[in-house]
């Protein structure tokens, strides 16, 4: 495809779209699907057909609209009326209202902070375009970043644009993306690879899944731009097998992109060749770690290896390999389109741009939000998130999954950026935010994460393989009311050992949930040990120290 | 690449799917995990003879194939029940009571995580986040994700699988 | 799609051999940029305790016993798997790393049943020696002691999983030098075990050549020659570097 053909296609498709008086967008992402979105979409289609209005009203299955808690979500264009909790029974009423005023009882206020306080870059198309339609993506200026890059810029210029944007990796580490790209670009090797890390293993995080389900072409475009910049001609998407819908949509998008000539050889009549293959994960959290991920793509056990050498120099089959997270790559097309400077104008000095967060746990508006870096936790949780349901008290926010920590109420006014989160003992991580209220026991939460690390440990290095089960055992003892202060000391000591001697990030960060809960909620540990009671009432012990429920391991 | 491929262990049609998966990847060793996915999709679990067949065709040592099959928890080496009930035990679901659901199933049916009921009707499995955290607690019934599940909801569905005769 | 796979794995990026100078424990030493910290230290009679590494086999940096402090590095680095660099300042014996090594060995003793008094390797065991060198006199962690099986189905050789430290030496020697790849690792985390073939009895293994190299490289009494009495089994590993060179020349 060449630029002119692209414009023509966009023109034609948008004319067709605009010929409809109303366009009804029904969320078809996994969240709304499981609350019945597909039934709503087909009910709309049936009803419209029955009324013979298929020329006038279009139904579109789109990507995630964000507010999964109100699913199934529906947005009617061009008026942008937002409806929540729509059932097939409401369909006729909504169609009746199209030329009049919206159905009051279902409509959500588009001025509510959940929608108005977001800044969408990666999610700019989510809920607006049809994920399975290449034309929709192109109307939304898709692939224009790639075309600009390969027809008007040198690879160096593309890398420079990334450096200028200040984008940092969204996969957890926060490594400057421009720097990583330039390292791979400079590395010598007659073959190079680009890998998209879509393993999204942090329990409680689902933004990568949502991006892939809602806007799969964006990731293809991001990877292609990256490949051009570093000199790679083959790419892999390492995608978890637990996300069947994302797999299906990405496969379809790859086929469409191939057919349209955005993948393959001599892309857009240039010398640039690039192809993408999907590799499925198989239920191992550690495979999100880059060296384990590469072992897995090579078909082996996902055991990490010491770095250096880094993948940028010595990656897949020994060749220089660029590994980026889904959300990182999702920012790339927009940066190329609007420029690095534009991107750098959003966010803070240390963290540019926006971040997608997955809100879950004890919060009213569970779902996905994209906000500028530097916004405060309070704004995210109480304005956008709508606060704690049922008048509970905010107790802690868990970020960064099993590698992160629990942040107590005193830091609610802290800005969200890489540095600030690290300062209070947590990490940005991939963007899962789990809100906890008084009904959560912090020792139990720490035990939960330790159990996670213990079962996800690859078993290669001693500290993580043998240390995490020891820590889990002590935490179990505490929640059973059988621990002593000596156990607590050994626990602290193990945290230090495992953190400093483990081979990979999994072991190195596995102590974070324990450390942060010990730092801010030590009195809960003490209450379990000294009084034999659980302040949150989660762990229930008999006097003999035997567990009744909740805390058995 | 070996010239002669070993014959499938039986004339079951499903081996064709496995062969196709291996061919698609040029019988390259790196295809092992992809091929194991194909085996599990076709047969529901990884039988010993299937592992041996794959090892032979990809010219991989048997211990390496076994090592990979047991490293990844998505793979199972035992047949699963007719129905599968996967309880998400990700953080969001845990905070919202996934543990109680598992306890309740264990109480009621005597089937623990990773186990299959004696008559082979259903397997209880757990997953680390199915990506439906906003609908926590989430349960996947035979591949369909359902949100906001209570122990009662789950018991009811399982009882339906049993034909209400429990 | 797969054409790109039909090439050989690229060797680690190794530039032309260049001499690098560095300091280890205050001593000025030098080596080439293909050498690891451990190799250079040993050439200069500086001993660093190790467990998983063995001359002649690839380095995997698994056990973490050889961790050393390197100035300017964010973390402790495994001496066996870290190449030297110009101007490096390495410390191998700081109280911090010595303490960590001791705790790692204690974790191993707590993880499985290493009851020395009844072991064929008693007195010749690398783990035992390591504990002695590091002054491990008690185990601060509770014992886990899972009951693991002993596979004695092979006519001459046997494996006692209770004594395995998962150093992967047997896996590497069988793959890298013998070329049989009878051994691999199965499962993961605390359930990780070494495994022969399709988790069959060793005696029924179709790939085992009965060369016995795995027994020789095993640091503990996990792999043993049958018929050895308590404390009787001594192992030989000096043949490895020689074998490796011979194989490479072929
Ligand atoms: C145990 C572990 C799990 C990880 N899981 C993921 C993951 O699921 N997704 C991801 O993008 N990065 C994950 N990472 C981070 C990656 O190793 C890597 O830093 C990242 O993919 C780089 O991409 P970025 O620079 O675009 O962030 C994980 C790291 C560790 C140590
Ligand atoms: S830290 Fe854990 S996951 Fe990482 S290599 Fe060591 S055992 Fe494996
Ligand atoms: S934690 Fe259950 S779906 Fe994410
Ligand atoms: S000897 Fe270096 S990590 Fe084991």
């Amino acid at each position: 495809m060449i630029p002119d053909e692209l414009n023509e296609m966009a023109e034609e498709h948008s004319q067709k779209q605009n010929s409809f008086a109303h366009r009804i967008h029904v969320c078809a992402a996994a969240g709304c699907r499981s609350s019945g979105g597909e039934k709503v979409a087909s009910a709309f289609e049936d009803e419209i057909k029955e009324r013979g209005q298929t020329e006038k009203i279009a139904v579109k299955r789109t990507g995630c609209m964000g507010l999964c808690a109100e699913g199934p979500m529906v947005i009617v264009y061009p008026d942008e009326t937002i409806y929540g909790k729509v059932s097939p029974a409401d369909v006729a009423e909504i169609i009746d209202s199209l030329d009049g005023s919206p159905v009051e009882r279902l409509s959500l206020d588009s001025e509510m902070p959940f929608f108005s306080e977001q800044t969408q870059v990666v999610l700019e198309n989510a809920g607006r375009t049809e994920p399975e339609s290449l034309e929709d993506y192109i109307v939304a200026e898709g692939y224009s970043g790639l075309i600009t890059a390969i027809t008007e810029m040198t690879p160096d210029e593309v890398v420079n644009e990334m450096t200028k944007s200040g984008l940092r990796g969204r996969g957890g580490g926060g490594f400057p993306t421009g720097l990583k790209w330039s390292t791979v670009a400079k590395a010598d090797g007659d073959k190079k690879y680009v890998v998209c890390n879509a393993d999204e293993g942090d329990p409680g995080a689902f933004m990568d899944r949502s991006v892939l389900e809602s806007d799969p072409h964006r990731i293809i475009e991001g990877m292609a731009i990256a490949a051009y910049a570093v000199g790679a001609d083959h790419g892999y998407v390492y995608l978890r097998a637990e996300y069947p819908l994302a797999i299906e949509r990405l496969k379809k998008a790859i086929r469409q992109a191939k057919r349209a000539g955005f993948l393959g050889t001599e892309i857009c009549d240039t010398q640039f060749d690039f192809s993408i293959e999907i590799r499925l994960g198989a239920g191992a959290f550690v495979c999100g770690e880059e060296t384990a991920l590469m072992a897995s793509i090579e078909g082996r056990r996902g055991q990490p290896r010491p770095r250096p050498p880094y993948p940028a120099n010595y990656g897949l089959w020994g060749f220089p390999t660029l590994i980026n997270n889904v959300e990182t790559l999702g920012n790339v097309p927009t940066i190329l389109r609007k420029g690095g400077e534009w991107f750098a104008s959003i966010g803070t000095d240390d963290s540019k741009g926006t971040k997608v967060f997955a809100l879950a746990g004890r919060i009213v508006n569970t779902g996905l939000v994209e906000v500028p870096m530097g916004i405060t936790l309070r704004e995210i949780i109480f304005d956008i998130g709508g606060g704690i349901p049922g008048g509970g008290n905010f107790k802690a926010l868990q970020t960064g999954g099993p590698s992160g920590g629990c942040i107590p109420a005193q830091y609610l006014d802290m800005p969200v950026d890489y540095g600030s989160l690290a300062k209070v003992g947590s990490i940005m991580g991939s963007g899962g935010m789990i809100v906890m209220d008084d009904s959560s026991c912090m020792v139990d939460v720490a035990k939960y994460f330790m159990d996670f690390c213990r079962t996800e440990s690859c078993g290669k290095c001693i500290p993580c393989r043998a240390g995490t089960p020891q820590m889990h055992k002590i935490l179990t003892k505490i929640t059973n009311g059988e621990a002593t202060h000596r156990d607590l000391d050994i626990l602290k000591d193990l945290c230090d050992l495992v953190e400093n001697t483990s081979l990979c990030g999994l072991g190195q960060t596995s102590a974070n949930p324990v450390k942060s809960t010990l730092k801010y909620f030590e009195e809960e540990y003490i209450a379990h040990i000294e009084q034999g009671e659980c302040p949150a009432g989660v762990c229930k012990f008999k006097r003999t120290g035997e567990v009744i429920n909740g805390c058995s391991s | 690449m070996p010239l002669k491929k070993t014959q499938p262990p039986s004339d079951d049609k499903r081996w064709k799917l496995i062969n196709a998966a291996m061919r698609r990847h040029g019988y390259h060793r790196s295809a092992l995990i992809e091929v194991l996915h194909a085996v599990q999709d076709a047969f529901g679990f990884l039988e010993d003879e299937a592992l041996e067949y794959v090892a032979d065709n990809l010219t991989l040592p048997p211990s390496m194939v076994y090592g990979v099959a047991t490293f990844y928890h998505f793979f199972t080496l035992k047949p699963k029940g007719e129905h599968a009930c996967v309880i998400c035990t990700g953080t969001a679901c845990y905070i919202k009571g996934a543990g109680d659901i598992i306890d309740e199933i264990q109480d009621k049916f005597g089937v623990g995580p990773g186990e299959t009921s004696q008559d082979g009707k259903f397997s209880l499995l757990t997953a680390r986040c199915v990506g439906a955290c906003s609908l926590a607690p989430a349960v996947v019934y035979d591949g369909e994700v359902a949100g906001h599940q209570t122990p009662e909801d789950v018991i009811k569905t399982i009882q339906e699988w049993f034909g209400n005769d429990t | 799609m797969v054409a790109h796979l039909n090439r050989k794995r690229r060797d680690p990026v190794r530039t032309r051999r260049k001499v690098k100078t560095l300091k280890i424990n205050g001593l000025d030493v030098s080596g080439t940029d293909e050498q690891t910290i451990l190799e250079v230290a040993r050439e200069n009679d500086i001993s660093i305790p190790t467990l998983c590494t063995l001359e002649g086999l690839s380095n995997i940096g698994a056990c973490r016993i050889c961790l050393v402090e390197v100035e300017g590095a964010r973390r402790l680095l495994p001496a066996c798997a870290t190449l030297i660099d110009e101007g490096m300042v390495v410390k191998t014996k700081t109280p911090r790393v010595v303490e960590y090594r001791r705790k790692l060995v204690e974790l191993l003793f707590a993880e499985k049943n290493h009851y020395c008094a009844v072991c064929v390797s008693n007195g010749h065991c690398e783990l035992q020696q390591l504990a002695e060198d590091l002054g491990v006199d008690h185990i601060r962690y509770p014992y886990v002691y899972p009951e693991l099986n002993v596979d004695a189905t092979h006519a001459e050789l046997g494996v006692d999983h209770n004594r395995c430290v998962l150093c992967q030496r047997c896996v590497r020697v069988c793959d890298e030098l013998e070329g049989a790849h009878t051994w691999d690792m199965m499962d993961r985390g605390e359930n990780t075990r070494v495994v022969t073939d399709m988790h069959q009895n060793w005696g029924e293994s179709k790939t085992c050549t009965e060369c016995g190299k795995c027994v020789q490289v095993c640091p503990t009494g996990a792999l043993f020659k049958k018929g050895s009495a308590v404390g009787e089994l001594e192992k030989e590993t000096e043949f490895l570097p020689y074998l490796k060179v011979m194989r490479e020349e072929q």
Side-chain angles (χ1 to χ4, degrees):
Chain A
M1 178 147 329
I2 54 168
D4 288 343
E5 290 170 354
L6 190 73
N7 287 338
E8 206 173 297
M9 188 169 165
E11 191 64 28
E12 202 175 297
H13 189 68
S14 63
Q15 261 174 20
K16 199 171 123 207
Q17 293 296 306
N18 292 334
S19 71
F20 293 105
H22 307 280
R23 279 166 288 138
I24 300 176
H25 290 193
V26 184
C27 178
C32 284
R33 262 204 177 184
S34 31
S35 45
E38 181 49 40
K39 284 198 197 103
V40 174
S42 35
F44 269 116
E45 282 170 342
D46 293 347
E47 184 72 26
I48 292 167
K49 210 177 279 163
E50 203 148 288
R51 299 186 185 197
Q53 295 187 317
T54 47
E55 301 285 303
K56 190 178 154 213
I57 311 171
V59 178
K60 225 177 215 201
R61 289 172 175 76
T62 70
C64 182
M65 297 171 178
L67 195 47
C68 311
E70 291 288 329
M73 296 259 303
V74 170
I75 303 184
V76 180
Y77 288 86
D79 324 339
E80 303 205 19
T81 320
I82 308 175
Y83 294 112
K85 297 211 164 107
V86 179
S87 77
D90 304 321
V91 161
E93 197 179 342
I94 292 178
I95 296 179
D96 287 339
S97 78
L98 283 181
D99 293 310
S101 54
V103 181
E104 203 70 22
R105 80 190 156 85
L106 295 169
S107 79
L108 300 169
D109 182 5
S110 63
E111 294 299 306
M112 75 193 259
F114 185 90
F115 298 108
S116 66
E117 289 190 16
Q118 293 199 43
T119 306
Q120 299 191 315
V121 177
V122 178
L123 299 179
E124 63 184 349
N125 292 336
R128 299 187 185 88
T129 62
E130 203 166 330
E132 306 201 356
S133 156
L134 171 68
E135 290 80 5
D136 259 22
Y137 184 64
I138 288 172
V139 171
E141 295 184 68
Y143 287 112
S144 61
L146 173 64
I147 291 179
T148 314
I150 61 179
T151 58
E152 294 169 23
M153 298 165 83
T154 64
D156 274 353
E157 284 168 351
V158 177
V159 172
N160 285 343
E161 208 57 44
M162 293 312 292
T163 311
K164 225 188 285 169
S165 76
L167 175 64
R168 294 173 63 174
R170 303 293 194 238
F175 192 82
T177 307
L179 184 56
K180 199 186 259 187
W181 286 25
S182 78
T183 315
V184 181
K186 285 192 200 117
D188 68 338
D190 43 357
K191 176 94 200 168
K192 288 180 191 175
Y193 293 99
V194 169
V195 174
C196 170
N197 187 345
D199 195 40
E200 194 161 56
D202 285 4
F206 52 93
M207 47 279 139
D208 292 351
R209 188 209 60 183
S210 195
V211 173
L212 286 165
E213 284 176 3
S214 308
D215 208 4
H217 283 287
R218 169 176 293 274
I219 301 308
I220 298 175
E221 184 180 357
M223 285 179 76
I225 294 171
Y228 175 72
V230 303
D233 63 1
H234 195 74
Y236 288 98
V237 180
Y238 187 81
L239 185 49
R240 344 179 37 201
E242 287 89 341
Y243 288 175
L245 187 60
I247 299 170
E248 190 187 308
R249 291 208 171 137
L250 185 63
K251 274 191 184 158
K252 189 161 180 186
I254 290 175
R255 277 199 304 274
Q256 291 170 338
K258 256 195 230 163
R259 219 174 303 131
F262 294 119
L263 288 176
T265 49
E266 301 188 353
I267 294 167
C268 303
D269 288 343
T270 66
Q271 299 287 303
F272 175 58
D273 302 343
F274 184 58
S275 53
I276 295 180
E277 269 182 278
I278 298 179
R279 280 286 181 274
L280 297 188
F285 171 67
V286 69
C287 287
E289 195 279 339
E290 47 194 28
T291 58
L293 184 148
M294 294 190 300
S296 188
I297 291 182
E298 292 178 8
R300 296 184 285 122
R301 290 164 61 83
Q303 286 179 337
R305 59 154 176 82
R307 296 174 309 174
Y310 289 94
N313 288 307
Y314 190 72
L316 279 172
W317 292 286
F319 296 95
T321 302
L322 173 73
I323 303 180
N324 271 138
N325 160 266
V326 170
E327 194 185 329
T328 313
L329 290 166
N331 277 300
V332 171
T334 319
I335 292 177
L336 263 275
R337 210 166 62 226
K338 299 193 180 172
E341 264 163 41
W342 164 81
F343 188 83
S345 70
I346 311 171
T348 69
D349 277 350
D350 126 282
S351 314
K352 308 286 186 202
T354 60
K355 177 80 194 86
V356 183
F357 290 105
L359 301 181
R362 304 276 173 199
I363 186 162
V364 174
N365 297 329
T366 54
L368 272 197
V369 296
E370 182 169 359
V371 291
M373 294 274 195
I375 186 172
T376 67
L377 289 174
R378 188 183 301 281
E379 285 171 285
I380 297 180
I381 298 168
F382 290 93
D383 296 352
I384 298 179
I388 316 279
N393 281 322
F394 174 88
K395 183 168 181 183
L397 174 71
Q398 212 283 335
T399 69
S403 320
C406 294
I407 303 170
Q410 76 228 52
Y411 294 116
L412 274 175
D413 291 307
M414 187 186 82
V416 176
D417 57 53
Y418 290 98
S420 309
L421 284 164
K423 223 178 287 160
V424 298
S426 189
I427 57 166
M428 174 83 69
S430 49
M433 285 196 165
I434 301 192
V435 180
M436 291 180 257
D437 65 5
D438 291 335
S439 66
S440 290
C441 162
M442 302 317 280
V443 189
D444 185 57
V445 168
K447 188 184 81 175
Y448 167 81
F449 282 115
M450 197 50 73
D451 186 44
F452 182 92
C453 292
R454 168 179 82 124
T455 40
E456 296 299 333
S457 162
C458 84
K460 178 172 174 178
C461 73
I462 302 173
C464 172
R465 179 187 75 230
T468 52
Q470 291 279 2
M471 291 197 269
H472 181 255
K473 208 182 260 181
I474 296 175
L475 289 163
T476 307
K477 245 170 127 180
I478 300 177
T479 52
N480 283 359
E482 298 163 346
T484 61
H485 279 283
R486 204 185 109 73
D487 290 314
L488 197 58
D489 291 340
I490 295 183
L491 180 65
K492 289 178 185 169
D493 187 65
L494 277 166
C495 285
D496 174 66
L497 177 70
V498 175
E499 175 176 332
N500 286 297
T501 60
S502 290
L503 195 167
C504 86
L506 194 157
Q508 288 160 9
T509 57
S510 63
N512 283 354
V514 179
K515 277 172 48 188
S516 71
T517 48
L518 264 172
K519 183 165 166 195
Y520 301 118
F521 302 96
E522 187 161 11
E523 71 287 350
E524 282 192 39
Y525 283 79
I526 304 290
H528 284 76
I529 293 171
E530 285 179 359
Q531 285 93 44
E533 63 182 44
C534 174
V538 174
C539 316
K540 299 188 178 68
F541 339 98
K542 277 187 198 156
R543 213 170 290 137
T544 57
E546 205 192 315
V547 189
I548 301 171
N549 72 48
C551 280
S552 58
S553 62
Chain B
M1 224 184 287
L3 292 174
K4 219 175 115 219
K5 304 284 168 231
T6 41
Q7 287 302 308
S10 67
D11 51 15
D12 192 319
K13 291 270 190 307
R14 289 175 290 184
W15 293 110
K16 289 219 167 90
L17 297 169
I18 316 305
N19 288 340
M22 294 195 289
R23 209 174 322 113
R24 196 161 52 242
H25 292 100
Y27 294 92
H28 194 269
R29 304 177 137 213
S30 66
L32 176 58
I33 296 170
E34 292 289 305
V35 174
L36 294 182
H37 273 297
V39 174
Q40 184 150 310
D41 281 350
F43 293 92
F45 72 108
L46 307 179
E47 270 176 284
D48 278 357
E49 57 177 19
L51 292 179
E52 276 168 31
Y53 179 63
V54 171
D56 278 352
N57 280 283
L58 299 182
T59 46
L60 287 168
S63 60
M64 190 187 251
V65 174
Y66 194 82
V68 167
T70 52
F71 182 88
Y72 295 98
H73 285 187
F74 194 82
F75 296 134
T76 143
L77 275 66
K78 278 182 278 172
K80 273 184 282 196
E82 218 175 292
H83 298 279
C85 171
V86 185
I87 315 285
C88 176
T89 54
T91 321
C93 295
Y94 182 77
I95 300 282
K96 290 207 173 165
D100 296 342
I101 298 183
I102 294 177
D103 291 346
E104 198 81 9
I105 297 177
Q106 210 151 3
D107 270 7
K108 189 100 187 176
F109 304 103
V111 178
E115 294 172 2
T116 300
S117 61
Q118 288 202 328
D119 58 358
K121 263 278 187 256
F122 91 103
S123 300
L124 177 63
L125 304 166
T126 56
R128 294 286 189 203
C129 191
V130 295
C133 316
S134 50
L135 307 172
V139 176
V140 189
Y141 302 104
D142 289 336
E144 288 289 319
V145 181
H148 304 302
Q149 294 294 290
T150 62
E152 293 71 39
D153 295 333
V154 183
I155 299 285
K156 202 170 134 238
T157 310
I158 296 176
Q159 270 168 348
E160 277 163 18
W161 286 341
F162 276 116
N164 287 322
D165 51 19
T166 331
Chain C
M1 202 49 116
V2 291
H4 68 95
L5 295 175
N6 292 334
R7 57 172 82 215
K8 262 179 72 182
R9 168 178 285 274
R10 189 158 158 265
D11 280 335
V13 196
R14 291 208 161 157
T15 41
R16 254 166 280 124
R17 272 194 209 183
K18 279 191 215 134
V19 175
K20 305 262 173 180
T21 56
L22 65 155
K23 258 191 174 42
I24 304 185
N25 297 348
L27 194 70
D28 286 308
V29 297
S30 63
T32 68
D33 56 3
E34 295 183 342
Q35 286 186 297
T36 62
I37 297 176
L38 180 66
E39 284 163 357
V40 176
R42 283 186 174 163
E43 279 177 10
N44 291 281
D45 293 323
I46 299 167
S47 77
I48 300 173
T50 58
L51 182 58
C52 67
T53 187
L54 192 63
E55 205 183 335
L57 300 180
S58 60
N59 285 314
I60 56 171
C63 74
R64 322 303 288 166
I65 299 288
C66 70
L67 287 180
V68 294
E69 285 190 30
V70 175
E71 249 179 52
R74 234 163 25 93
R75 317 199 128 264
L76 302 174
L77 294 173
C80 71
T82 307
L83 296 178
I84 60 164
D85 208 349
E86 186 60 38
M88 248 186 185
V89 179
V90 182
K91 297 200 183 91
T92 72
K93 282 199 192 73
T94 61
R96 177 163 174 244
V97 292
V98 172
E99 187 62 21
Y100 282 151
R101 287 178 193 142
R102 188 159 35 225
K103 287 177 186 165
L104 290 175
V105 170
E106 287 182 35
L107 272 180
L108 275 184
F109 274 101
E111 184 185 28
K112 292 195 185 140
N113 188 339
H114 289 283
Y115 189 50
C116 303
V118 297
C119 178
V120 287
S121 285
N122 192 5
H124 319 289
C125 168
E126 288 184 42
L127 180 62
Q128 206 176 29
Q129 189 62 49
L130 202 53
E132 204 180 301
D133 293 349
L134 292 169
V136 174
D137 48 13
H138 72 291
I139 310 297
R140 74 195 75 190
Y141 312 111
Y143 291 99
V144 182
Y145 279 10
E147 285 233 359
L148 304 180
N149 81 313
V150 179
D151 177 354
T153 55
H154 192 283
E156 280 149 46
L157 314 170
V159 51
D160 180 351
H161 290 282
N162 294 293
R163 306 202 185 286
C164 173
V165 292
L166 299 168
C167 65
Q168 304 191 35
R169 283 187 190 179
C170 54
V171 177
R172 283 175 284 158
V173 81
C174 187
D175 175 61
E176 296 169 15
L177 293 181
E178 180 59 13
H181 206 119
T182 301
W183 291 103
D184 207 311
M185 317 289 285
M186 63 171 273
D187 222 314
R188 71 180 191 210
E190 56 192 320
N191 302 317
T192 311
R193 305 282 176 265
V194 290
V195 64
T196 44
D197 283 9
M198 220 57 108
H199 201 193
Q200 286 134 324
N201 290 330
W202 194 355
E204 291 149 29
S205 164
K206 289 184 210 134
T207 57
C208 175
T209 59
E210 322 210 346
C211 72
K213 288 192 187 70
C214 51
V215 175
Q216 297 304 329
V217 299
C218 174
T220 70
L223 295 182
F224 57 87
K225 261 211 191 77
K226 280 170 122 176
S228 321
V230 170
E232 226 183 49
L233 187 62
E234 275 192 73
K235 300 184 173 183
E236 300 270 344
T237 58
E238 288 76 22
F239 66 94
L240 290 180
Y242 167 73
L243 267 187
K244 186 180 173 213
V245 172
M246 292 303 287
R247 268 187 65 103
E248 278 168 358
E249 282 179 359
Q250 269 172 19

